[in-house]
Structures are given as C-alpha cells and as structure tokens.
Amino acid sequence: MIHVFGHKVPDTDATCSAIAYAYLLRQTGKDAKAFRLGELNKETKLVLERFGIEEPPLLENAAGKDVWLMDHNEFEQSADGIEEANIVGVIDHHKIKFSYGKPITYIALPWGSSSTIVAKLFEIYGVEIPKEIAGCLLSAILSDTVIFKSPTTTDVDKEIAEKLAKIAGVEDIKAWGIEMFKAKSSIAEKSAREIVLNDYKVYEFDGKKFLINQVEVIDDSEVLQRKEEILEEMKRIKEEQGLFAVLTMVTDIMKEGTTLLVVADDYEPIEKAFSKKVEGGAIWLPGVMSRKKQIVPPLEKVFQ
Ligand code: MG
Ligand code: MG
Ligand code: MG
C-alpha cells in the first residue's frame, strides 16, 4: 500500500492534496491511503468538517513503507524514518531539494498549491472529482494562495478553483476563504508557544538553522499586542533547539503585509536580506505574504 502524506505541521494543502491524491491513485487501480504527520490545525479541521471528510490517521514512522510525498520534498519536513522508506513519487510546488537513488514520479509545478496540481491530474486521468474532494482541494488553494492574494497565485489556480467551487457547491469562494482564515487566526486562546509553532518549517542556510513560522490573520493587532511574550517564547525555542534564528511572520491578509518578528544570534544578515532594520524585534514588510517566495529566497541569497 502507498502511504500518501504531506509535510509535518500539516496545513490544509498538505492534508487535502494527500486525501485527494490517495483517492485518485485508488481510482487508477493502486492501493493507497492518505495520512497526516501531525495534529491538524483549526482551519483544516473546519474544512474536513464542512465537506464531511474524515481526518486521515497519523503516520508515526515511514520506515520500510511505500510512500508518496505531497506538498514537500525536503526530508527535514517529512516523516520520521523517511530515509528508510521507499519513495514512489512526489507532487509539490516548492523549491526542489531532493535527490534519490532511482527513477520515480516527480511532479513539480510552480502553482499556488499542490492541490491545484492534483486537481489537474484528475483532469488528465479523466477521473471525476467527488463533491467533498472538490471542496477540500478548493479550500487548500484558498489557504495556500491566501484567497488569491499571495504572489504565488497563478491563473491556473483561479481557473481550477472556479471549477472546483461549482462541483463542491461553494457559491461565494471569497466568503468561504475568509471563514477559513478566521478559524485559523482565532489565536486569542493560544499560548505564545502555540503561536510560534503554529505553522513552521525549519531551513538551513549555509549550515545555519532557521525556524520560520507563519501566522495568517484577518487583523494583526491581536497578535502584535502580545509581541513581547511571543519574542520571549521565540528566544526560548531558539535556545532549546540550538537554532541560529527564529522568525515569525505575522501576515495580515487584509493589510496585505507581514510583520516579521525576529530572534537571532546575529541580526545583520537578516536585516541585509530585507534591507530593513529590526526595530523592537520586528520588521514590517508590506506586500509580503509568502514564506517560500518572499522570505526564504532573500535569506538564501544572503547566506550563499
Ligand atoms: Mg503546505
Ligand atoms: Mg502547499
Ligand atoms: Mg501556508
């Protein structure tokens, strides 16, 4: 059986692309099942609830299993035991940091979500998309493209989202998107630690480890009034995990910009990457919505 799963700290795209692709594999005669690599966030739970889909089971370890990686390709972001797994394929929309000892199926397109690619594959295989899966894929596109506001959005994402919305019976795409983001951004009852580890990925630039987290909110004031507490927690996590830096992107999807909270051994390379000084532990970055397109590349460049 092929175990299909997205990255650790699962988001809606990682989860829905896995659910949909496992279904497509089964329709094409393969034995496949979707899994998750961690606790689902509130947004993803809302999506699965709305469209009546069960949560995929947790995969503890991938060693010795046939696996299909969705929405990621870096082993650091993948399942424990991935080095001893048999990778059958990858479907992803991130930068490629992958090499493997034998030929496999690797589908990468620079589209707004992995779910957009999966929806396209249904078309290519001539498999009808069930209503609930269409709803799941649509929601993942809205999540990853921040309701089409992120610079990662392509025309294909919009076009496919329209089609999926019709199948899923979602009349007002934007209204649904905002409802999803509200679910995700209700942080009032979250601890500072939960905020910092909300949606994070760990990167290595020239041997220096960065934990980069993103919180997407409708109104950033709720998070920013807890800035000092959050910075303290970031410092703690940096020490605990022996990191070079912990960054928290507080992305306001209405203002269309990000307040980047920064804790680092050395601020200079980070200030250089964004051509701005860190003031009070933060840098305001107007127009910045995407970690992979607007935060990771400038950092990578500075450390090259
Ligand atoms: Mg993802
Ligand atoms: Mg994605
Ligand atoms: Mg995201």
Side-chain angles (χ1 to χ4, degrees), residues 4-28:
V4 185
F5 52 82
H7 49 82
K8 274 186 176 158
V9 195
D11 57 16
T12 301
D13 191 31
T15 309
C16 289
S17 65
I19 291 169
Y21 193 63
Y23 174 87
L24 181 59
L25 281 172
R26 291 196 295 274
Q27 297 310 299
T28 56

Side-chain angles (χ1 to χ4, degrees), residues 280-293:
I283 309 178
W284 166 245
L285 300 169
V288 168
M289 318 275 289
S290 165
R291 171 171 44 202
K292 74 172 174 186
K293 218 165 176 169

Side-chain angles (χ1 to χ4, degrees), residues 185-229:
S185 62
S186 59
I187 62 125
E189 73 281 19
K190 278 190 186 168
S191 68
R193 176 157 289 242
E194 283 169 326
I195 292 170
V196 178
L197 301 177
N198 171 68
D199 163 20
Y200 72 90
K201 289 183 176 161
V202 176
Y203 299 86
E204 222 178 284
F205 308 120
D206 190 29
K208 293 179 177 64
K209 280 199 172 170
F210 277 68
L211 183 149
I212 310 179
N213 170 53
Q214 186 170 27
V215 198
E216 289 154 324
V217 292
I218 306 277
D219 171 9
D220 62 9
S221 62
E222 201 189 352
V223 183
L224 294 180
Q225 70 195 10
R226 292 173 63 187
K227 191 178 81 174
E228 295 311 322
E229 183 198 346

Side-chain angles (χ1 to χ4, degrees), residues 30-284:
K30 305 249 178 9
D31 186 15
K33 193 174 160 143
F35 290 86
R36 62 183 163 89
L37 298 187
E39 180 72 21
L40 298 182
N41 67 37
K42 280 189 183 164
E43 178 196 86
T44 309
K45 284 189 177 187
L46 175 73
V47 169
L48 297 187
E49 211 174 284
R50 166 157 184 183
F51 296 103
I53 299 172
E54 243 178 79
E55 264 195 31
L58 182 73
L59 183 69
E60 303 270 6
N61 199 295
K65 298 189 164 71
D66 288 342
V67 303
W68 199 299
L69 309 187
M70 304 300 298
D71 197 40
H72 73 294
N73 68 78
E74 301 189 30
F75 281 17
E76 291 88 348
Q77 299 167 6
S78 200
D80 294 343
I82 190 68
E83 292 84 0
E84 291 96 51
N86 176 44
I87 300 174
V88 183
V90 180
I91 296 176
D92 191 23
H93 67 136
H94 293 91
K95 78 172 148 79
I96 301 168
K97 201 178 157 193
F98 185 89
S99 89
Y100 203 51
K102 63 176 187 187
I104 60 157
T105 304
Y106 194 112
I107 304 172
L109 285 158
W111 291 349
S113 77
S114 299
S115 292
T116 314
I117 304 170
V118 174
K120 194 64 173 179
L121 289 171
F122 272 82
E123 228 175 273
I124 291 167
Y125 283 99
V127 173
E128 215 173 292
I129 307 181
K131 189 175 177 181
E132 71 279 7
I133 286 184
C136 205
L137 291 171
L138 166 68
S139 306
I141 296 174
L142 292 172
S143 174
D144 262 29
T145 65
V146 194
I147 324 177
F148 310 128
K149 286 181 181 179
S150 166
T152 56
T153 312
T154 67
D155 290 341
V156 188
D157 299 302
K158 292 181 189 163
E159 190 188 299
I160 287 184
E162 290 288 342
K163 285 186 196 163
L164 293 169
K166 283 206 184 83
I167 301 168
V170 174
E171 272 168 33
D172 190 337
I173 296 182
K174 286 207 174 126
W176 169 233
I178 293 192
E179 201 181 322
M180 283 168 47
F181 275 94
K182 274 191 184 145
K184 181 156 63 179
S185 62
S186 59
I187 62 125
E189 73 281 19
K190 278 190 186 168
S191 68
R193 176 157 289 242
E194 283 169 326
I195 292 170
V196 178
L197 301 177
N198 171 68
D199 163 20
Y200 72 90
K201 289 183 176 161
V202 176
Y203 299 86
E204 222 178 284
F205 308 120
D206 190 29
K208 293 179 177 64
K209 280 199 172 170
F210 277 68
L211 183 149
I212 310 179
N213 170 53
Q214 186 170 27
V215 198
E216 289 154 324
V217 292
I218 306 277
D219 171 9
D220 62 9
S221 62
E222 201 189 352
V223 183
L224 294 180
Q225 70 195 10
R226 292 173 63 187
K227 191 178 81 174
E228 295 311 322
E229 183 198 346
I230 294 167
L231 285 169
E232 272 309 308
E233 197 58 43
M234 288 165 63
K235 211 172 281 170
R236 212 165 293 142
I237 290 166
K238 186 176 93 56
E239 300 310 325
E240 277 171 19
Q241 304 193 17
L243 303 161
F244 176 80
V246 175
L247 309 183
T248 293
M249 298 172 66
V250 182
T251 302
D252 188 311
I253 71 171
M254 296 302 176
K255 285 186 202 156
E256 299 190 22
T258 290
T259 304
L260 188 67
L261 303 181
V262 184
V263 166
D265 285 343
D266 182 6
Y267 286 79
E268 204 213 296
I270 298 164
E271 293 179 332
K272 199 171 155 201
F274 301 107
S275 312
K276 273 197 169 174
K277 287 264 172 243
V278 177
E279 278 168 51
I283 309 178
W284 166 245

